[in-house]
Amino acid sequence: MRLPPGVSSSDFSAALARLEGAVGKDWVLTSDDDMETYRDSYSPFWHEEEDRIPSAAVAPDSVEQVQAVVRILNERKIPLWTISTGKNLAYGGSSPALSGSVMLDLKRMDKILEVSDKNHYALVEPGVSYFDLYRYIQDNKRKVWIDPPDPGWGSPVGNSLERGGGRTPMGDHFASVCGLEVVLANGEVLRTGMGALPGAKTWQQYKYGFGPYIDGIFSQSNFGVITKMGVWLMPEPEAYREGSVAVPKHDDLIPFVDTLSYLMNSKIVRGTMLLESPVLSYRQSQGGSVLDMPGGPSVQEMERIGAEKNLPYWQMLFHFWGPPKVIDAQWEYTKEKFSAIPGAAFRDGRAYRFPVELKDSDDVQRVYLGIPNLLVFALIAGGQGHMDFSPIIPMTGEAVFEVLQVFGAAYAEMGVPPKNQFFALPWTFFPRSFVLLFGLPVTHNIEQNRENRKVFRRLVGVAAEHGWGEYRTHVAFMDVVSNVYSWNGHALRRLHETIKDAVDPNGILSPGKSGIWPQRMRESRA
Ligand SMILES: Cc1cc2nc3c(=O)[nH]c(=O)nc-3n(C[C@H](O)[C@H](O)[C@H](O)COP(=O)(O)OP(=O)(O)OC[C@H]3O[C@@H](n4cnc5c(N)ncnc54)[C@H](O)[C@@H]3O)c2cc1C
């Protein structure tokens, strides 16, 4: 059996016996087969020493059991790593940042405690998946929609704590969190916001409570174990419609993004959009790259190809949810604003009135209709996985040009053909900024993984040199990313670690999460 770092085998065996007493023998797992299920199936360390492998797993089914587990591990300074549904693929799956950690697996805590269609929220435990919540809402005919990420098997708790994103107007998931229940490293349990008031009537309706608002420090963090979370939902809309806007020229991107930003910040267009470039996609299909590689075709040449093949330079599909007369007016206004760009072209897309019966064969991205699914895996079938490099950049056309040029030059300098990496143009998951998603392949070949890890590290460095930072990262790169968030001599990380030392002095909760290490392990930082 693998041991947690710094823990003797007798101490570990004694702790396991006490864990069995707390949660039942069946829910303390130590076999190699069981540990396999907690490995990152998209690990960039296949067949290498650094692959993160836990020592054991424990699966409590109540907050009292979580408290007992944490107390037992705290007494012996045994590190643990918390997961809700453990589907954090592309960012580490279920695996811990520190090999030998005990997995605190909360899948058995799967109660949906409340769904309100008067104030549009849910209160859930960590093991509730998007599929579970969707089914509950359907079965109980509640007039609310969830906002699933692309893979529906994850959880509102795990995904929101990672500050993940979906596609509807509720797509910024942590922004929809309202009220947490948290178990601290010493086993104490607290409730945030209005939940601090005994008998609170508005825990899921009002976020801030009284005094400092602290929910944010439990996201992407290792300060506590979340055992309940309130999540705001969208009232079931009457209708949905789509419409696309395309513009012909390279430089049209600047007024295009300015208009997008105005419409988004005015809440006339909502939800998550992807910037597309049919002409750059064509270049990619011919063996080129979406990125602006040195020595590649000029803008004039691409515009000529676009005109010849009737491919716009830029386009975006917009989504509207709400009463038909409201969303028709939003789409009309959207077209009016973009009409200021010469040559702008518009196309109506799909339209639905709810409730709607969809057929399997219907060509619609179900996530935009709040329906969880796993179809995204069909789109990326064939590979052995990927890890996401996901920097945040300004929401301006100028920034997009700079990004294409800077990363194009970086790939050229590294001598790596960018065509085996998927590169998406910016997404609008979060207001006022774009997110880029580069999928760097993961294979079972040690050399290729080493190469891809090198590429990843270089991309983080290049981004930081230009003032762009990741919104979230894979467990393998948490130190690398944390290292570049270094303003004023790492003042923010020093505060994070001051809090860590205060709330978790034995450093047992998820050591290394987001580059935050407890005092006794700080020298492990990469
Ligand atoms: C093809 C593909 C598409 C994807 N698309 C999206 C997408 O559209 N949007 C998106 O956001 N992500 C996406 N992802 C990434 C990922 O799959 C999802 O974010 C997924 O929901 C995360 O897994 P989970 O919900 O099971 O969280 P978990 O794996 O349970 O948790 C994630 C992390 O949060 C912390 N944590 C979890 N629970 C707790 C707790 N109770 N207390 C304290 N800390 C906790 C832990 O550090 C944990 O490792 C995609 C991945 C792939 C492979």
Side-chain angles (χ1 to χ4, degrees), residues 253-333:
L253 188 63
I254 291 171
F256 188 95
V257 177
D258 288 347
T259 309
L260 165 73
S261 176
Y262 169 78
L263 291 170
M264 282 189 81
N265 295 340
S266 309
K267 307 246 187 299
I268 293 160
V269 303
R270 299 182 302 154
T272 300
M273 280 80 68
L274 170 66
L275 178 68
E276 296 173 279
S277 171
V279 82
L280 295 182
S281 299
Y282 171 78
R283 182 164 88 192
Q284 192 172 33
S285 72
Q286 304 299 300
S289 170
V290 173
L291 299 175
D292 199 354
M293 304 295 289
S298 66
V299 165
Q300 290 71 19
E301 220 167 309
M302 292 313 297
E303 283 182 346
R304 190 187 48 75
I305 293 171
E308 218 173 79
K309 303 204 172 290
N310 202 18
L311 296 173
Y313 219 109
W314 308 106
Q315 77 180 22
M316 188 170 267
L317 184 63
F318 291 89
H319 312 263
F320 303 91
W321 297 261
K325 58 184 173 198
V326 173
I327 62 177
D328 290 350
Q330 286 171 325
W331 176 221
E332 281 312 309
Y333 186 71

Coordinates of all heavy atoms in Angstrom, one line a residue, residues 253-333:
L253 N -12.9 42.8 -36.9 CA -13.0 42.2 -35.6 C -13.0 43.3 -34.5 O -13.7 43.1 -33.4 CB -11.8 41.3 -35.3 CG -11.9 40.5 -34.0 CD1 -13.1 39.6 -34.1 CD2 -10.6 39.7 -33.7
I254 N -12.4 44.4 -34.7 CA -12.3 45.5 -33.7 C -13.7 46.0 -33.4 O -14.2 45.9 -32.2 CB -11.3 46.5 -34.0 CG1 -9.9 45.8 -33.9 CG2 -11.4 47.7 -33.0 CD1 -8.7 46.6 -34.3
P255 N -14.5 46.5 -34.4 CA -15.8 47.0 -34.1 C -16.7 45.8 -33.7 O -17.7 46.0 -32.9 CB -16.3 47.7 -35.4 CG -15.4 47.2 -36.4 CD -14.1 46.9 -35.8
F256 N -16.4 44.6 -34.2 CA -17.3 43.4 -33.9 C -17.2 43.2 -32.4 O -18.2 43.0 -31.7 CB -16.7 42.2 -34.7 CG -17.6 41.0 -34.6 CD1 -18.5 40.7 -35.6 CD2 -17.5 40.1 -33.5 CE1 -19.3 39.6 -35.5 CE2 -18.2 39.0 -33.4 CZ -19.2 38.7 -34.4
V257 N -16.0 43.1 -31.8 CA -15.9 42.8 -30.4 C -16.4 44.0 -29.5 O -17.0 43.8 -28.5 CB -14.4 42.4 -30.0 CG1 -14.3 42.2 -28.5 CG2 -14.0 41.1 -30.8
D258 N -16.2 45.2 -30.0 CA -16.7 46.4 -29.3 C -18.2 46.3 -29.2 O -18.8 46.5 -28.1 CB -16.3 47.7 -29.9 CG -14.8 48.0 -29.8 OD1 -14.2 47.4 -29.0 OD2 -14.3 48.9 -30.5
T259 N -18.9 45.9 -30.3 CA -20.3 45.8 -30.3 C -20.8 44.6 -29.4 O -21.7 44.7 -28.6 CB -20.8 45.5 -31.7 OG1 -20.3 46.5 -32.6 CG2 -22.3 45.6 -31.8
L260 N -20.0 43.5 -29.5 CA -20.3 42.3 -28.6 C -20.3 42.7 -27.1 O -21.2 42.4 -26.3 CB -19.3 41.2 -28.9 CG -19.2 40.1 -27.9 CD1 -20.4 39.2 -28.0 CD2 -17.9 39.3 -28.1
S261 N -19.2 43.4 -26.8 CA -19.0 43.8 -25.4 C -20.1 44.7 -24.9 O -20.7 44.6 -23.8 CB -17.6 44.5 -25.3 OG -17.4 45.0 -24.0
Y262 N -20.5 45.7 -25.8 CA -21.6 46.6 -25.4 C -22.9 45.8 -25.2 O -23.6 46.0 -24.2 CB -21.8 47.7 -26.5 CG -23.0 48.5 -26.4 CD1 -23.1 49.5 -25.4 CD2 -24.2 48.2 -27.1 CE1 -24.3 50.2 -25.2 CE2 -25.4 48.8 -26.9 CZ -25.4 49.9 -25.9 OH -26.6 50.5 -25.7
L263 N -23.2 44.9 -26.1 CA -24.4 44.2 -26.0 C -24.4 43.2 -24.8 O -25.4 43.0 -24.2 CB -24.7 43.3 -27.3 CG -25.0 44.2 -28.6 CD1 -25.0 43.3 -29.8 CD2 -26.4 44.9 -28.4
M264 N -23.3 42.6 -24.6 CA -23.2 41.7 -23.4 C -23.3 42.5 -22.1 O -24.1 42.1 -21.2 CB -21.9 41.0 -23.3 CG -21.8 39.8 -24.3 SD -20.3 38.8 -24.0 CE -20.8 37.8 -22.6
N265 N -22.6 43.6 -22.0 CA -22.6 44.3 -20.7 C -24.0 45.1 -20.5 O -24.3 45.5 -19.4 CB -21.4 45.3 -20.6 CG -20.1 44.5 -20.6 OD1 -20.1 43.3 -20.3 ND2 -19.1 45.2 -21.0
S266 N -24.7 45.2 -21.6 CA -26.1 45.8 -21.5 C -27.1 44.7 -21.3 O -28.3 44.9 -21.3 CB -26.4 46.6 -22.8 OG -25.5 47.5 -23.1
K267 N -26.6 43.4 -21.3 CA -27.5 42.2 -21.1 C -28.5 42.1 -22.2 O -29.6 41.5 -22.0 CB -28.2 42.3 -19.7 CG -27.3 42.5 -18.5 CD -27.3 41.3 -17.6 CE -26.5 41.5 -16.3 NZ -25.1 41.8 -16.4
I268 N -28.2 42.6 -23.4 CA -29.0 42.3 -24.5 C -28.7 41.0 -25.2 O -29.6 40.2 -25.6 CB -28.9 43.5 -25.5 CG1 -29.5 44.7 -24.9 CG2 -29.7 43.2 -26.8 CD1 -29.1 46.0 -25.5
V269 N -27.4 40.7 -25.2 CA -27.0 39.3 -25.5 C -26.5 38.7 -24.3 O -25.7 39.3 -23.5 CB -26.1 39.1 -26.7 CG1 -26.6 39.8 -28.0 CG2 -24.7 39.7 -26.4
R270 N -26.8 37.4 -24.0 CA -26.4 36.7 -22.8 C -25.9 35.3 -23.2 O -26.0 34.9 -24.3 CB -27.6 36.6 -21.9 CG -28.1 38.0 -21.4 CD -29.3 37.9 -20.4 NE -30.4 37.1 -21.0 CZ -31.2 36.4 -20.2 NH1 -31.1 36.4 -18.9 NH2 -32.2 35.8 -20.7
G271 N -25.3 34.7 -22.2 CA -24.9 33.3 -22.5 C -23.5 33.3 -23.0 O -22.8 34.3 -23.1
T272 N -23.0 32.1 -23.4 CA -21.6 31.9 -23.8 C -21.6 31.8 -25.3 O -22.2 30.9 -25.9 CB -21.1 30.7 -23.1 OG1 -21.1 30.9 -21.7 CG2 -19.6 30.4 -23.5
M273 N -20.8 32.6 -25.9 CA -20.6 32.6 -27.4 C -19.1 32.2 -27.7 O -18.2 32.5 -26.9 CB -20.9 33.9 -28.0 CG -22.3 34.3 -28.2 SD -23.1 34.8 -26.7 CE -22.4 36.4 -26.4
L274 N -19.0 31.7 -28.9 CA -17.6 31.4 -29.4 C -17.3 32.2 -30.6 O -18.2 32.3 -31.5 CB -17.5 29.9 -29.8 CG -16.3 29.4 -30.5 CD1 -15.0 29.5 -29.7 CD2 -16.5 28.0 -31.0
L275 N -16.2 32.9 -30.6 CA -15.8 33.6 -31.8 C -15.3 32.6 -32.8 O -14.5 31.7 -32.5 CB -14.7 34.6 -31.5 CG -14.1 35.4 -32.7 CD1 -15.2 36.4 -33.2 CD2 -12.9 36.2 -32.3
E276 N -15.8 32.6 -34.0 CA -15.3 31.7 -35.1 C -14.7 32.5 -36.2 O -15.1 33.6 -36.4 CB -16.5 30.9 -35.6 CG -17.1 30.0 -34.5 CD -18.4 29.3 -35.0 OE1 -19.4 30.0 -35.0 OE2 -18.3 28.2 -35.4
S277 N -13.9 31.8 -37.0 CA -13.3 32.4 -38.2 C -13.4 31.3 -39.3 O -12.5 30.5 -39.4 CB -11.9 32.9 -38.0 OG -11.4 33.2 -39.2
P278 N -14.4 31.4 -40.1 CA -14.5 30.4 -41.2 C -13.2 30.4 -42.1 O -12.7 29.4 -42.5 CB -15.7 30.8 -42.0 CG -16.6 31.5 -40.9 CD -15.6 32.2 -40.0
V279 N -12.7 31.6 -42.3 CA -11.5 31.7 -43.2 C -10.3 31.1 -42.6 O -9.5 30.4 -43.2 CB -11.3 33.1 -43.8 CG1 -10.6 34.0 -42.8 CG2 -10.6 33.1 -45.1
L280 N -10.1 31.3 -41.2 CA -8.9 30.7 -40.6 C -9.1 29.2 -40.4 O -8.2 28.4 -40.4 CB -8.7 31.4 -39.2 CG -8.3 32.8 -39.2 CD1 -8.0 33.4 -37.8 CD2 -7.0 33.1 -40.1
S281 N -10.4 28.8 -40.2 CA -10.7 27.3 -40.1 C -10.3 26.7 -41.5 O -9.8 25.5 -41.5 CB -12.1 27.0 -39.8 OG -12.4 27.6 -38.6
Y282 N -10.6 27.4 -42.6 CA -10.2 26.9 -43.9 C -8.7 26.7 -44.0 O -8.2 25.7 -44.4 CB -10.8 27.8 -45.0 CG -10.3 27.5 -46.3 CD1 -10.8 26.4 -47.1 CD2 -9.2 28.2 -46.9 CE1 -10.3 26.0 -48.3 CE2 -8.7 27.8 -48.1 CZ -9.2 26.8 -48.8 OH -8.7 26.4 -50.1
R283 N -8.0 27.8 -43.5 CA -6.5 27.7 -43.5 C -6.0 26.5 -42.8 O -5.1 25.8 -43.2 CB -5.9 29.0 -42.9 CG -4.4 29.0 -42.9 CD -4.0 30.5 -42.7 NE -3.8 30.7 -41.3 CZ -3.6 32.0 -40.8 NH1 -3.6 33.0 -41.6 NH2 -3.5 32.2 -39.5
Q284 N -6.7 26.2 -41.6 CA -6.3 25.1 -40.8 C -6.6 23.8 -41.6 O -5.8 22.8 -41.5 CB -7.1 25.1 -39.5 CG -6.6 24.1 -38.5 CD -7.3 24.3 -37.1 OE1 -8.4 24.7 -37.1 NE2 -6.6 24.1 -36.1
S285 N -7.7 23.7 -42.3 CA -8.1 22.5 -43.0 C -7.1 22.2 -44.1 O -6.9 21.1 -44.6 CB -9.5 22.6 -43.6 OG -9.5 23.5 -44.6
Q286 N -6.3 23.2 -44.5 CA -5.3 23.1 -45.6 C -3.9 22.8 -45.0 O -2.9 23.0 -45.7 CB -5.3 24.3 -46.5 CG -6.6 24.7 -47.1 CD -7.1 23.7 -48.0 OE1 -6.5 23.3 -49.0 NE2 -8.3 23.1 -47.7
G287 N -3.9 22.5 -43.7 CA -2.6 22.2 -43.1 C -2.0 23.4 -42.4 O -0.9 23.2 -41.8
G288 N -2.6 24.5 -42.4 CA -2.1 25.7 -41.7 C -2.6 25.7 -40.3 O -3.0 24.7 -39.7
S289 N -2.6 26.9 -39.7 CA -3.0 27.0 -38.3 C -4.0 28.2 -38.2 O -4.0 29.1 -39.0 CB -1.8 27.3 -37.4 OG -2.2 27.6 -36.1
V290 N -4.8 28.1 -37.1 CA -5.6 29.2 -36.8 C -4.8 30.4 -36.3 O -5.1 31.6 -36.5 CB -6.7 28.8 -35.7 CG1 -7.5 30.0 -35.2 CG2 -7.6 27.8 -36.2
L291 N -3.6 30.0 -35.7 CA -2.7 31.0 -35.1 C -2.0 31.7 -36.3 O -1.9 31.2 -37.4 CB -1.7 30.3 -34.2 CG -2.3 29.6 -33.0 CD1 -1.2 28.9 -32.2 CD2 -2.9 30.6 -32.1
D292 N -1.5 32.9 -36.0 CA -0.8 33.7 -37.0 C 0.7 33.3 -37.0 O 1.5 33.9 -36.3 CB -1.0 35.1 -36.5 CG -0.8 36.1 -37.5 OD1 -0.4 35.7 -38.6 OD2 -1.0 37.3 -37.3
M293 N 1.0 32.3 -37.8 CA 2.4 31.7 -37.7 C 3.3 32.6 -38.6 O 2.9 33.1 -39.7 CB 2.4 30.3 -38.3 CG 1.5 29.3 -37.6 SD 2.0 29.0 -35.9 CE 3.5 28.1 -36.1
P294 N 4.5 32.9 -38.1 CA 5.4 33.7 -38.9 C 5.6 33.0 -40.3 O 5.7 31.8 -40.4 CB 6.8 33.7 -38.1 CG 6.4 33.1 -36.8 CD 5.1 32.4 -36.9
G295 N 5.6 33.9 -41.4 CA 5.8 33.3 -42.7 C 4.5 32.8 -43.3 O 4.5 32.3 -44.4
G296 N 3.4 32.8 -42.5 CA 2.1 32.3 -43.1 C 1.5 33.3 -44.0 O 2.0 34.4 -44.2
P297 N 0.3 32.9 -44.6 CA -0.3 33.8 -45.5 C -0.7 35.2 -44.9 O -1.0 35.2 -43.7 CB -1.6 33.1 -46.0 CG -1.7 31.9 -45.1 CD -0.4 31.7 -44.3
S298 N -0.6 36.2 -45.7 CA -0.9 37.6 -45.2 C -2.4 37.7 -45.0 O -3.2 37.0 -45.5 CB -0.4 38.6 -46.1 OG -1.1 38.5 -47.3
V299 N -2.8 38.8 -44.3 CA -4.2 39.1 -44.1 C -4.8 39.4 -45.4 O -5.9 38.9 -45.7 CB -4.3 40.4 -43.2 CG1 -5.7 41.0 -43.2 CG2 -3.9 40.1 -41.7
Q300 N -4.2 40.1 -46.3 CA -4.7 40.4 -47.6 C -5.0 39.1 -48.4 O -6.1 38.9 -49.0 CB -3.8 41.2 -48.5 CG -3.6 42.7 -48.0 CD -2.8 42.8 -46.7 OE1 -2.1 41.9 -46.3 NE2 -2.9 43.9 -46.0
E301 N -4.1 38.2 -48.3 CA -4.3 36.9 -49.0 C -5.5 36.1 -48.4 O -6.3 35.6 -49.1 CB -3.0 36.0 -48.7 CG -2.6 35.2 -50.0 CD -1.2 34.7 -49.7 OE1 -0.3 35.5 -49.4 OE2 -1.0 33.5 -49.9
M302 N -5.6 36.1 -47.0 CA -6.7 35.4 -46.4 C -8.0 36.1 -46.8 O -9.0 35.4 -47.0 CB -6.5 35.4 -44.9 CG -5.4 34.5 -44.4 SD -5.3 32.9 -45.1 CE -6.8 32.2 -44.6
E303 N -8.0 37.5 -46.9 CA -9.2 38.1 -47.2 C -9.6 37.8 -48.7 O -10.8 37.6 -49.0 CB -9.1 39.7 -47.1 CG -9.2 40.1 -45.6 CD -9.0 41.6 -45.4 OE1 -8.6 42.3 -46.3 OE2 -9.3 42.0 -44.3
R304 N -8.6 37.6 -49.5 CA -8.9 37.3 -50.9 C -9.5 35.8 -51.0 O -10.5 35.6 -51.7 CB -7.6 37.3 -51.8 CG -7.8 37.2 -53.2 CD -6.5 37.0 -54.0 NE -5.5 36.1 -53.4 CZ -5.6 34.7 -53.5 NH1 -6.6 34.2 -54.2 NH2 -4.7 34.0 -53.0
I305 N -8.9 34.9 -50.2 CA -9.4 33.6 -50.2 C -10.9 33.6 -49.6 O -11.8 32.9 -50.2 CB -8.6 32.7 -49.3 CG1 -7.2 32.5 -49.9 CG2 -9.2 31.3 -49.0 CD1 -6.1 31.8 -49.1
G306 N -11.1 34.4 -48.6 CA -12.4 34.5 -48.0 C -13.4 35.0 -49.1 O -14.5 34.4 -49.2
A307 N -13.1 36.0 -49.8 CA -14.0 36.6 -50.8 C -14.2 35.5 -51.9 O -15.4 35.3 -52.4 CB -13.4 37.8 -51.4
E308 N -13.2 34.8 -52.3 CA -13.3 33.8 -53.4 C -14.2 32.7 -53.0 O -15.0 32.2 -53.7 CB -11.9 33.3 -53.6 CG -11.5 33.0 -55.0 CD -10.0 32.6 -55.0 OE1 -9.7 31.4 -54.7 OE2 -9.2 33.5 -55.3
K309 N -14.0 32.2 -51.7 CA -14.8 31.0 -51.3 C -16.0 31.4 -50.5 O -16.7 30.5 -49.9 CB -13.9 30.1 -50.4 CG -12.6 29.7 -51.1 CD -12.0 28.5 -50.5 CE -10.9 28.0 -51.4 NZ -11.3 27.4 -52.7
N310 N -16.3 32.7 -50.4 CA -17.5 33.2 -49.7 C -17.4 32.8 -48.2 O -18.4 32.3 -47.6 CB -18.7 32.6 -50.4 CG -19.9 33.4 -50.0 OD1 -19.8 34.6 -49.6 ND2 -21.1 32.9 -50.2
L311 N -16.2 33.0 -47.6 CA -16.1 32.7 -46.2 C -15.8 34.0 -45.4 O -14.9 34.7 -45.7 CB -14.8 31.8 -46.0 CG -14.9 30.4 -46.6 CD1 -13.5 29.7 -46.5 CD2 -15.9 29.6 -45.9
P312 N -16.7 34.3 -44.5 CA -16.5 35.5 -43.7 C -15.2 35.3 -42.8 O -14.8 34.2 -42.5 CB -17.7 35.6 -42.8 CG -18.3 34.3 -42.8 CD -17.9 33.5 -44.0
Y313 N -14.6 36.5 -42.5 CA -13.4 36.4 -41.6 C -13.8 36.0 -40.2 O -13.2 35.2 -39.6 CB -12.6 37.7 -41.6 CG -11.1 37.5 -41.6 CD1 -10.4 37.8 -42.8 CD2 -10.5 37.0 -40.5 CE1 -9.0 37.5 -42.8 CE2 -9.1 36.7 -40.5 CZ -8.4 37.0 -41.6 OH -7.0 36.7 -41.7
W314 N -14.9 36.7 -39.7 CA -15.3 36.4 -38.3 C -16.8 36.2 -38.3 O -17.5 36.7 -39.0 CB -15.0 37.6 -37.4 CG -13.5 38.1 -37.5 CD1 -13.1 39.2 -38.2 CD2 -12.4 37.4 -37.0 NE1 -11.7 39.3 -38.1 CE2 -11.3 38.2 -37.4 CE3 -12.2 36.3 -36.3 CZ2 -9.9 37.9 -37.1 CZ3 -10.9 35.9 -36.0 CH2 -9.8 36.7 -36.3
Q315 N -17.2 35.3 -37.3 CA -18.6 35.1 -37.1 C -18.9 34.6 -35.7 O -18.0 34.1 -35.0 CB -19.3 34.2 -38.2 CG -19.0 32.7 -38.0 CD -19.7 31.9 -39.1 OE1 -20.0 32.4 -40.1 NE2 -19.9 30.6 -38.8
M316 N -20.1 34.8 -35.3 CA -20.5 34.4 -33.9 C -22.0 34.0 -34.0 O -22.8 34.7 -34.6 CB -20.2 35.5 -33.0 CG -20.4 35.1 -31.5 SD -19.8 36.4 -30.4 CE -18.1 35.9 -30.1
L317 N -22.3 33.0 -33.2 CA -23.7 32.5 -33.1 C -24.2 33.1 -31.8 O -23.6 32.8 -30.7 CB -23.8 31.0 -33.1 CG -25.2 30.4 -33.1 CD1 -26.0 30.8 -34.3 CD2 -25.1 28.9 -33.0
F318 N -25.3 33.8 -31.8 CA -25.9 34.4 -30.6 C -27.1 33.6 -30.2 O -27.7 33.0 -31.0 CB -26.3 35.9 -30.9 CG -25.1 36.8 -31.0 CD1 -24.5 36.9 -32.3 CD2 -24.5 37.4 -30.0 CE1 -23.4 37.7 -32.5 CE2 -23.4 38.2 -30.1 CZ -22.8 38.3 -31.4
H319 N -27.3 33.6 -28.9 CA -28.4 32.8 -28.3 C -29.3 33.7 -27.4 O -28.8 34.6 -26.7 CB -27.8 31.7 -27.4 CG -26.7 31.0 -28.0 ND1 -26.8 29.8 -28.7 CD2 -25.3 31.4 -28.2 CE1 -25.6 29.5 -29.2 NE2 -24.7 30.4 -28.9
F320 N -30.6 33.5 -27.5 CA -31.5 34.4 -26.8 C -32.5 33.5 -26.1 O -33.0 32.5 -26.7 CB -32.2 35.3 -27.7 CG -31.3 36.2 -28.5 CD1 -30.8 35.8 -29.8 CD2 -30.8 37.4 -28.0 CE1 -29.9 36.6 -30.5 CE2 -29.9 38.2 -28.7 CZ -29.5 37.8 -30.0
W321 N -32.8 33.8 -24.8 CA -33.7 33.0 -24.0 C -34.7 34.0 -23.4 O -34.3 35.1 -22.9 CB -33.0 32.4 -22.8 CG -32.0 31.3 -23.2 CD1 -32.1 30.0 -23.2 CD2 -30.6 31.6 -23.5 NE1 -30.9 29.4 -23.5 CE2 -30.0 30.3 -23.7 CE3 -29.8 32.7 -23.6 CZ2 -28.6 30.2 -24.0 CZ3 -28.5 32.6 -23.9 CH2 -27.9 31.3 -24.1
G322 N -36.0 33.7 -23.4 CA -37.0 34.5 -22.8 C -38.3 34.5 -23.5 O -38.6 33.6 -24.4
P323 N -39.2 35.5 -23.2 CA -40.5 35.5 -23.9 C -40.2 35.9 -25.4 O -39.3 36.7 -25.7 CB -41.2 36.7 -23.2 CG -40.5 36.9 -21.9 CD -39.0 36.5 -22.2
P324 N -41.0 35.3 -26.3 CA -40.7 35.5 -27.8 C -40.6 36.9 -28.2 O -39.7 37.3 -28.9 CB -41.9 34.8 -28.4 CG -42.4 33.8 -27.5 CD -42.1 34.3 -26.1
K325 N -41.5 37.8 -27.6 CA -41.4 39.2 -28.1 C -40.2 39.9 -27.6 O -39.6 40.8 -28.2 CB -42.7 40.0 -27.8 CG -43.1 40.1 -26.4 CD -44.4 40.8 -26.3 CE -44.9 40.8 -24.9 NZ -46.3 41.0 -24.8
V326 N -39.7 39.4 -26.5 CA -38.4 40.0 -25.9 C -37.2 39.5 -26.7 O -36.4 40.3 -27.2 CB -38.3 39.7 -24.4 CG1 -36.9 40.2 -23.9 CG2 -39.4 40.3 -23.6
I327 N -37.2 38.2 -27.0 CA -35.9 37.8 -27.7 C -36.0 38.1 -29.2 O -34.9 38.4 -29.7 CB -35.7 36.2 -27.5 CG1 -36.8 35.4 -28.0 CG2 -35.5 35.9 -26.0 CD1 -36.6 33.9 -27.9
D328 N -37.1 38.3 -29.7 CA -37.2 38.8 -31.1 C -36.6 40.2 -31.2 O -35.8 40.6 -32.1 CB -38.6 38.8 -31.7 CG -39.1 37.3 -31.9 OD1 -38.3 36.4 -31.8 OD2 -40.3 37.2 -32.1
A329 N -37.0 41.0 -30.2 CA -36.5 42.4 -30.1 C -35.0 42.4 -29.9 O -34.3 43.2 -30.5 CB -37.3 43.2 -29.0
Q330 N -34.5 41.5 -29.0 CA -33.1 41.5 -28.7 C -32.3 41.2 -30.0 O -31.3 41.8 -30.3 CB -32.8 40.5 -27.6 CG -33.2 41.0 -26.2 CD -33.1 39.9 -25.2 OE1 -33.4 38.7 -25.5 NE2 -32.8 40.2 -24.0
W331 N -32.8 40.2 -30.7 CA -32.1 39.8 -32.0 C -32.2 41.0 -33.0 O -31.2 41.3 -33.7 CB -32.8 38.5 -32.5 CG -32.3 38.0 -33.8 CD1 -33.0 37.4 -34.8 CD2 -30.9 37.9 -34.3 NE1 -32.3 37.0 -35.9 CE2 -31.0 37.3 -35.6 CE3 -29.7 38.2 -33.8 CZ2 -29.8 37.0 -36.4 CZ3 -28.5 38.0 -34.6 CH2 -28.6 37.4 -35.9
E332 N -33.3 41.6 -33.1 CA -33.5 42.7 -34.1 C -32.5 43.8 -33.7 O -31.8 44.4 -34.5 CB -34.9 43.3 -34.0 CG -35.9 42.5 -34.8 CD -35.4 42.2 -36.2 OE1 -35.0 43.1 -36.9 OE2 -35.5 41.0 -36.6
Y333 N -32.3 44.1 -32.4 CA -31.4 45.2 -31.9 C -30.0 44.8 -32.2 O -29.1 45.6 -32.6 CB -31.7 45.5 -30.5 CG -30.9 46.7 -30.0 CD1 -31.2 48.0 -30.5 CD2 -29.8 46.5 -29.2 CE1 -30.4 49.1 -30.1 CE2 -29.0 47.6 -28.8 CZ -29.3 48.9 -29.2 OH -28.6 50.0 -28.9

